[in-house]
Amino acid sequence: MSDDGTHIEGFVDSVAELLRQATAAVTPEVAQALRHMELSWAPIYTDILYRAVRDGARRLGVEPQLAYDAILARATLSPGATPPSSDDEREERYRLELFRTVLGWRLQRLVAAPASWPDEPGRIAPLEQDTDLPRIAVVVLSCNRLEYLRNTLHAFHRTIEHRNCELIVLDNASTDGSRELLERALELRLVSRLVLARTNLGNARGFNVACAHADPRAALYVKLDSDICPITPAWESRMLALSRSDPRIGVVGLSQVNHHLLRTAPSVEAGGEAVIPWSTWAVGSCMAISREAFDRLGYFSEPPGMAYSWDDVDYWMRAMRAGFLGYYLRDVQAAHQTALDASRYRSAAGARNYRLVRALLRKHGRDYDIGARSLSWFPPEYRDLGGGNRRVVWEG
């Protein structure tokens, strides 16, 4: 990070001391409540710790993420470390966990993709097919967020292990160079199928059109938002394994290292994994739908006149009423890119009418409960599209 090790050590020490001061008032009773996630404590220390790392890194002329990693490297226990032998050591480990949570909320943990990606010969292998393995269809939606899209695709290729993983990207009429990047990725076989929409289809319809072009034999449909970067290697294989461990599991999601609710939610065990029930918080930025759930429920709802809606929450409402379970893999993580939202990109969420969407979800819930609205949705226009051309222009 710096040639002056003394400065780095002093910086790490000062942040560690700040952390000790910030948690000094935590009594054993409060600490126990925090450990069991009975209090929403992450916001308490967020700003003071984040500012300390950001400002200290700026003084040293290094990236905040590198400073953060240096602090964790200093504090993290080595593999095979013995259990805490005293209350002081136990409390120190708890402070470290607090620090991880608070900083993880504000800092993106994944190194950004090189601006030259995908033109990195020999560094990223093309997608492969192994007919002896179940098919996993991963769907990404793109719309004028080139840098985020590049990071997401780069992270996807850095972390997958499944040799029968299909990547379908639908571009919603981007004009910022996203289409050129995707055309190149398709040429290099880093994208399995590219769907180019003539107009912006919005989120639910965009994902539906992309899913309709996936291999119809897919055992798992994964909705991966273009601002989400998978971190944990083999994440898609663990999603598949969990979904197959119990036919009642219809929805599986990745946890997010910088989502405070997911990082602090209590977990249970399912399919040999530590999992967080979707009833804690429904967010489908990286969600997988099992074959069984898709065959029963079908596609995302497309509310008339709404380009952007809470498609993931609505799908979970349907899955829950159909008797399916949903879990996040607690230890299988992704990062939500947010660094450029204010300076370069306007989040799609900002264009939503939240009051209208909430009212719509309440109405949908009531309609599902009384049978006025079907839990299943299979539009005829999406039939028989899967497994076709690698490059598709969508006129609809």
Side-chain angles (χ1 to χ4, degrees):
M1 293 173 56
S2 169
D3 294 333
D4 191 344
T6 302
H7 287 173
I8 291 293
E9 289 299 312
F11 172 56
V12 173
D13 288 340
S14 67
V15 174
E17 178 58 30
L18 178 63
L19 179 62
R20 282 190 287 272
Q21 293 174 7
T23 58
V26 176
T27 65
E29 292 77 16
V30 173
Q32 182 69 12
L34 299 184
R35 290 189 188 94
H36 286 86
M37 313 309 171
E38 296 168 5
L39 299 174
S40 181
W41 47 266
I44 299 173
Y45 305 120
T46 297
D47 288 336
I48 188 171
L49 291 174
Y50 176 70
R51 283 198 301 269
V53 174
R54 181 198 61 193
D55 295 344
R58 184 178 296 148
R59 288 195 302 271
L60 292 169
V62 299
E63 290 294 324
Q65 183 63 56
L66 296 179
Y68 171 59
D69 289 342
I71 295 167
L72 286 187
R74 158 80 85 81
T76 300
L77 297 170
S78 60
T82 58
S85 59
S86 66
D87 289 343
D88 287 344
E89 185 177 349
R90 188 175 295 106
E91 190 62 26
E92 190 63 28
R93 293 194 191 183
Y94 170 65
R95 288 186 177 116
L96 172 62
E97 194 58 36
L98 170 65
F99 184 68
R100 281 198 183 104
T101 298
V102 171
L103 268 294
W105 188 6
R106 296 296 293 269
L107 294 174
Q108 185 176 317
R109 293 180 57 84
L110 197 71
V111 176
S116 61
W117 194 90
D119 288 306
E120 296 178 317
R123 296 189 62 183
I124 298 180
L127 292 168
E128 299 177 1
Q129 294 187 20
D130 186 334
T131 55
D132 293 331
L133 294 173
R135 193 78 157 158
I136 298 176
V138 180
V139 174
V140 174
L141 198 62
S142 164
C143 186
N144 284 331
R145 302 181 91 188
L146 175 60
E147 191 166 341
Y148 280 174
L149 173 66
R150 179 185 286 115
N151 291 344
T152 292
L153 298 183
H154 183 257
F156 169 85
H157 278 280
R158 286 178 55 187
T159 52
I160 62 165
E161 73 161 8
H162 204 283
R163 295 191 307 278
N164 208 18
C165 201
E166 178 185 34
L167 177 61
I168 306 103
V169 183
L170 183 140
D171 184 79
N172 262 332
S174 293
T175 58
D176 67 342
S178 295
R179 291 201 170 199
E180 290 77 8
L181 178 141
L182 292 171
E183 295 274 18
R184 181 58 175 155
L186 182 71
E187 180 183 343
L188 296 173
R189 306 193 76 84
L190 302 178
V191 168
S192 308
R193 204 175 317 279
L194 176 59
V195 183
L196 300 172
R198 292 288 195 189
T199 60
N200 188 346
L201 305 178
N203 61 337
R205 182 165 172 76
F207 279 118
N208 286 343
V209 171
C211 283
H213 285 87
D215 191 318
R217 299 166 297 173
L220 202 67
Y221 290 92
V222 181
K223 170 184 175 288
L224 176 63
D225 286 359
S226 61
D227 58 4
I228 298 295
C229 291
I231 294 174
T232 305
W235 56 273
E236 79 297 344
S237 295
R238 290 173 70 175
M239 277 183 149
L240 178 64
L242 179 60
S243 72
R244 291 190 145 196
S245 68
D246 185 337
R248 297 174 300 169
I249 300 177
V251 179
V252 178
L254 298 188
S255 186
Q256 287 181 24
V257 71
N258 50 352
H259 191 294
H260 64 291
L261 289 176
L262 293 181
R263 285 185 61 84
T264 59
S267 62
V268 296
E269 191 275 336
E273 293 272 10
V275 298
I276 301 167
W278 260 59
S279 56
T280 301
W281 182 256
V283 55
S285 51
C286 184
M287 64 180 286
I289 302 169
S290 71
R291 176 84 260 170
E292 291 78 8
F294 187 81
D295 286 345
R296 169 72 175 85
L297 301 172
Y299 293 88
F300 292 106
S301 295
E302 298 178 14
M306 293 191 67
Y308 293 96
S309 63
W310 279 337
D311 50 357
D312 47 1
V313 180
D314 182 81
Y315 204 91
W316 167 238
M317 291 167 60
R318 293 158 58 194
M320 182 175 57
R321 286 164 170 79
F324 288 105
L325 303 174
Y327 296 116
Y328 299 97
L329 286 157
R330 187 196 67 187
D331 301 323
V332 185
Q333 296 184 326
H336 180 199
Q337 302 179 82
T338 59
L340 301 177
D341 282 355
S343 62
R344 190 169 307 173
Y345 302 130
R346 182 173 63 88
S347 173
R352 300 174 184 167
N353 184 327
Y354 283 104
R355 183 175 299 175
L356 176 62
V357 171
R358 284 196 297 268
L360 180 69
L361 287 173
R362 285 195 295 268
K363 182 181 186 305
H364 279 197
R366 289 193 298 269
D367 289 348
Y368 293 140
D369 288 336
I370 64 176
R373 186 180 182 86
S374 175
L375 298 178
S376 302
W377 199 60
F378 292 92
E381 65 179 312
Y382 297 148
R383 290 179 187 157
D384 305 321
L385 294 178
N389 295 330
R390 295 186 63 235
R391 185 182 184 279
V392 177
V393 177
W394 183 257
E395 303 285 355

